[in-house]
mmCIF file of all heavy atoms in Angstrom:
data_model
loop_
_atom_site.group_PDB
_atom_site.id
_atom_site.type_symbol
_atom_site.label_atom_id
_atom_site.label_comp_id
_atom_site.label_asym_id
_atom_site.label_seq_id
_atom_site.Cartn_x
_atom_site.Cartn_y
_atom_site.Cartn_z
ATOM 1 N N PRO P 33 -23.898 5.854 -7.446
ATOM 2 C CA PRO P 33 -24.803 5.760 -8.588
ATOM 3 C C PRO P 33 -24.169 6.060 -9.943
ATOM 4 O O PRO P 33 -24.807 5.884 -10.966
ATOM 5 C CB PRO P 33 -25.850 6.836 -8.263
ATOM 6 C CG PRO P 33 -25.061 7.876 -7.536
ATOM 7 C CD PRO P 33 -24.051 7.106 -6.717
ATOM 8 N N ASN P 36 -22.156 2.938 -14.786
ATOM 9 C CA ASN P 36 -23.086 2.136 -15.561
ATOM 10 C C ASN P 36 -22.294 0.972 -16.145
ATOM 11 O O ASN P 36 -21.486 1.162 -17.055
ATOM 12 C CB ASN P 36 -23.722 2.972 -16.669
ATOM 13 C CG ASN P 36 -24.726 2.199 -17.492
ATOM 14 O OD1 ASN P 36 -24.549 1.016 -17.770
ATOM 15 N ND2 ASN P 36 -25.782 2.878 -17.894
ATOM 16 N N TYR P 50 -12.531 14.839 -10.150
ATOM 17 C CA TYR P 50 -12.555 13.399 -9.955
ATOM 18 C C TYR P 50 -11.193 12.829 -10.315
ATOM 19 O O TYR P 50 -10.573 13.256 -11.284
ATOM 20 C CB TYR P 50 -13.607 12.742 -10.857
ATOM 21 C CG TYR P 50 -15.029 13.061 -10.460
ATOM 22 C CD1 TYR P 50 -15.622 14.265 -10.825
ATOM 23 C CD2 TYR P 50 -15.776 12.154 -9.720
ATOM 24 C CE1 TYR P 50 -16.931 14.554 -10.460
ATOM 25 C CE2 TYR P 50 -17.083 12.439 -9.356
ATOM 26 C CZ TYR P 50 -17.650 13.642 -9.724
ATOM 27 O OH TYR P 50 -18.941 13.924 -9.356
ATOM 28 N N ILE P 58 -3.934 -6.935 -21.058
ATOM 29 C CA ILE P 58 -4.178 -7.121 -22.490
ATOM 30 C C ILE P 58 -3.341 -8.256 -23.050
ATOM 31 O O ILE P 58 -2.179 -8.426 -22.687
ATOM 32 C CB ILE P 58 -3.870 -5.815 -23.249
ATOM 33 C CG1 ILE P 58 -4.862 -4.735 -22.796
ATOM 34 C CG2 ILE P 58 -3.924 -6.012 -24.757
ATOM 35 C CD1 ILE P 58 -4.628 -3.384 -23.389
ATOM 36 N N HIS P 60 -2.073 -9.538 -26.743
ATOM 37 C CA HIS P 60 -1.894 -9.176 -28.150
ATOM 38 C C HIS P 60 -2.023 -10.468 -28.943
ATOM 39 O O HIS P 60 -1.117 -11.277 -28.973
ATOM 40 C CB HIS P 60 -0.509 -8.530 -28.308
ATOM 41 C CG HIS P 60 -0.240 -7.978 -29.653
ATOM 42 N ND1 HIS P 60 1.024 -7.726 -30.082
ATOM 43 C CD2 HIS P 60 -1.048 -7.612 -30.657
ATOM 44 C CE1 HIS P 60 0.980 -7.229 -31.299
ATOM 45 N NE2 HIS P 60 -0.267 -7.152 -31.666
ATOM 46 N N GLN P 62 -2.264 -11.236 -32.184
ATOM 47 C CA GLN P 62 -1.530 -11.430 -33.429
ATOM 48 C C GLN P 62 -0.146 -10.815 -33.272
ATOM 49 O O GLN P 62 0.075 -9.674 -33.654
ATOM 50 C CB GLN P 62 -2.254 -10.779 -34.602
ATOM 51 C CG GLN P 62 -3.584 -11.406 -34.894
ATOM 52 C CD GLN P 62 -4.357 -10.610 -35.926
ATOM 53 O OE1 GLN P 62 -4.220 -9.408 -36.041
ATOM 54 N NE2 GLN P 62 -5.194 -11.300 -36.676
ATOM 55 N N ARG P 65 5.613 -10.141 -36.668
ATOM 56 C CA ARG P 65 6.510 -11.149 -37.243
ATOM 57 C C ARG P 65 7.918 -11.014 -36.698
ATOM 58 O O ARG P 65 8.415 -9.916 -36.480
ATOM 59 C CB ARG P 65 6.539 -11.008 -38.757
ATOM 60 C CG ARG P 65 5.221 -11.355 -39.384
ATOM 61 C CD ARG P 65 5.334 -11.281 -40.883
ATOM 62 N NE ARG P 65 4.014 -11.452 -41.456
ATOM 63 C CZ ARG P 65 3.665 -10.987 -42.621
ATOM 64 N NH1 ARG P 65 4.530 -10.326 -43.359
ATOM 65 N NH2 ARG P 65 2.455 -11.174 -43.064
ATOM 66 N N SER P 73 3.952 0.518 -34.190
ATOM 67 C CA SER P 73 2.739 0.030 -33.546
ATOM 68 C C SER P 73 2.731 0.443 -32.086
ATOM 69 O O SER P 73 3.650 0.142 -31.344
ATOM 70 C CB SER P 73 2.653 -1.487 -33.654
ATOM 71 O OG SER P 73 2.611 -1.875 -34.996
ATOM 72 N N VAL P 77 -4.126 4.223 -24.374
ATOM 73 C CA VAL P 77 -5.285 4.043 -23.508
ATOM 74 C C VAL P 77 -5.646 5.422 -22.991
ATOM 75 O O VAL P 77 -4.790 6.151 -22.486
ATOM 76 C CB VAL P 77 -4.995 3.060 -22.361
ATOM 77 C CG1 VAL P 77 -6.167 3.006 -21.397
ATOM 78 C CG2 VAL P 77 -4.700 1.671 -22.912
ATOM 79 N N ASP P 102 3.096 -11.826 -25.500
ATOM 80 C CA ASP P 102 2.836 -12.101 -24.092
ATOM 81 C C ASP P 102 1.834 -11.099 -23.531
ATOM 82 O O ASP P 102 1.776 -9.946 -23.977
ATOM 83 C CB ASP P 102 4.136 -12.001 -23.279
ATOM 84 C CG ASP P 102 5.126 -13.095 -23.620
ATOM 85 O OD1 ASP P 102 4.680 -14.179 -24.056
ATOM 86 O OD2 ASP P 102 6.336 -12.867 -23.466
ATOM 87 N N PHE P 104 0.320 -8.226 -21.249
ATOM 88 C CA PHE P 104 0.953 -7.082 -20.600
ATOM 89 C C PHE P 104 -0.126 -6.223 -19.964
ATOM 90 O O PHE P 104 -1.316 -6.400 -20.215
ATOM 91 C CB PHE P 104 1.806 -6.278 -21.593
ATOM 92 C CG PHE P 104 1.032 -5.639 -22.707
ATOM 93 C CD1 PHE P 104 0.617 -4.322 -22.621
ATOM 94 C CD2 PHE P 104 0.720 -6.358 -23.852
ATOM 95 C CE1 PHE P 104 -0.095 -3.730 -23.661
ATOM 96 C CE2 PHE P 104 0.014 -5.775 -24.888
ATOM 97 C CZ PHE P 104 -0.392 -4.467 -24.792
ATOM 98 N N SER P 107 -1.664 1.104 -17.756
ATOM 99 C CA SER P 107 -2.476 1.867 -16.811
ATOM 100 C C SER P 107 -2.446 3.347 -17.137
ATOM 101 O O SER P 107 -1.474 3.847 -17.706
ATOM 102 C CB SER P 107 -1.947 1.684 -15.384
ATOM 103 O OG SER P 107 -1.982 0.341 -14.993
ATOM 104 N N MET P 109 -3.888 7.111 -15.076
ATOM 105 C CA MET P 109 -4.623 7.710 -13.967
ATOM 106 C C MET P 109 -4.382 9.205 -13.945
ATOM 107 O O MET P 109 -3.397 9.693 -14.497
ATOM 108 C CB MET P 109 -4.244 7.081 -12.624
ATOM 109 C CG MET P 109 -2.832 7.337 -12.177
ATOM 110 S SD MET P 109 -2.451 6.602 -10.582
ATOM 111 C CE MET P 109 -3.619 7.383 -9.526
ATOM 112 N N GLN P 118 -21.994 14.901 -16.832
ATOM 113 C CA GLN P 118 -20.996 14.500 -17.824
ATOM 114 C C GLN P 118 -20.478 13.111 -17.480
ATOM 115 O O GLN P 118 -20.478 12.711 -16.320
ATOM 116 C CB GLN P 118 -19.820 15.471 -17.853
ATOM 117 C CG GLN P 118 -20.106 16.770 -18.554
ATOM 118 C CD GLN P 118 -18.852 17.610 -18.709
ATOM 119 O OE1 GLN P 118 -18.059 17.733 -17.785
ATOM 120 N NE2 GLN P 118 -18.680 18.196 -19.891
ATOM 121 N N VAL P 122 -13.341 4.726 -20.849
ATOM 122 C CA VAL P 122 -12.022 4.278 -21.292
ATOM 123 C C VAL P 122 -12.074 3.934 -22.772
ATOM 124 O O VAL P 122 -13.015 3.286 -23.234
ATOM 125 C CB VAL P 122 -11.569 3.039 -20.491
ATOM 126 C CG1 VAL P 122 -10.239 2.519 -21.004
ATOM 127 C CG2 VAL P 122 -11.490 3.364 -19.009
#
Side-chain angles (χ1 to χ4, degrees):
N36 181 323
Y50 291 80
I58 295 176
H60 186 199
Q62 295 172 330
R65 293 183 187 154
S73 299
V77 174
D102 293 333
F104 64 96
S107 300
M109 66 179 300
Q118 284 188 317
V122 177

